[in-house]
Amino acid sequence: MTHAPALLVIDMQNALAALAHRARDTIAVIAALRARARSAGVPVVTVQHHGGGLEPGTDGWRIVPELAPADGETVVAKTSADSFLDTDLDSVLRSLGTTELVVTGFATEICVDTTARQALSRRYDLVLVADGHTTSVRDATGPYAAPDVSVEHHNEIFRHLDFPGRSIRVLPGADVDFSPPGPSRP
């Protein structure tokens, strides 16, 4: 099978970035990946949540300026944590010939996790960008894991997932290689 990655950017919208842990750093990692993907001719697909305070046309709903889709790039509207559920994401990826998803975005334990697992179930290989996803800022004494703990926990879970026939890698953004796999590629 031909190796054909696509970069997936999930819910990097103004209202969500405003409450995201290390938002500026995450946006910078994703922006660098987008530039490298475009240079390599790799498709960039942006997923944009609709509803729950993210009403279309509002400033909070818009994608952060640093990651705004370029002309001709695909934007998929979603209404749940699963970017595949009741959307055209799978058909878009299939039409692009995608075999591997490079996953980034917000929120680690909700939309990123759900979409990454669904991608594996739909037979896509997966790269979870270790420093390219984030979650909300929150108090470490609350009912949820602290943001850094949550991000690292999910990175570690994906390092140990086993989906037969699927390649799963967790890599920092700087180590993502959009070229086809070769003998020297891990």
Side-chain angles (χ1 to χ4, degrees):
M1 182 185 298
T2 303
H3 173 77
L7 176 61
L8 191 64
V9 180
I10 302 169
D11 296 351
M12 293 303 293
Q13 295 163 255
N14 288 326
L16 301 175
L19 56 86
H21 172 64
R22 60 179 182 76
R24 192 172 306 172
D25 294 341
T26 304
I27 291 167
V29 167
I30 298 170
L33 281 168
R34 283 172 49 89
R36 291 190 357 249
R38 287 179 182 158
S39 291
V42 169
V44 177
V45 177
T46 300
V47 176
Q48 188 173 30
H49 197 85
H50 290 219
L54 298 169
E55 284 71 30
T58 63
D59 186 58
W61 166 82
R62 288 183 180 83
I63 303 298
V64 297
E66 301 89 337
L67 302 176
D71 289 341
E73 284 184 352
T74 302
V75 178
V76 173
K78 72 174 182 63
T79 57
S80 77
D82 179 353
S83 299
F84 289 95
L85 181 65
D86 297 329
T87 73
D88 62 352
L89 179 58
D90 193 45
S91 62
V92 164
L93 296 171
R94 302 261 179 233
S95 72
L96 294 169
T98 303
T99 62
E100 177 181 70
L101 282 185
V102 179
V103 176
T104 66
F106 182 90
T108 296
E109 61 281 285
I110 303 170
C111 300
V112 171
D113 178 81
T114 302
T115 298
R117 289 174 190 262
Q118 283 298 316
L120 290 164
S121 291
R122 292 169 187 265
R123 303 204 174 279
Y124 293 98
D125 291 331
L126 178 72
V127 175
L128 178 63
V129 181
D131 53 352
H133 64 95
T134 191
T135 191
S136 58
V137 172
R138 52 187 172 240
D139 185 6
T141 61
Y144 298 103
D148 283 328
V149 172
S150 184
V151 168
E152 188 49 44
H153 171 80
H154 280 78
N155 288 341
E156 197 61 23
I157 293 287
F158 276 89
R159 286 183 184 104
H160 297 283
L161 278 181
D162 184 20
F163 272 73
R166 302 278 54 88
S167 167
I168 303 170
R169 297 178 294 147
V170 179
L171 301 171
D175 291 352
V176 173
D177 181 0
F178 288 111
S179 64
S184 63
R185 185 170 170 196

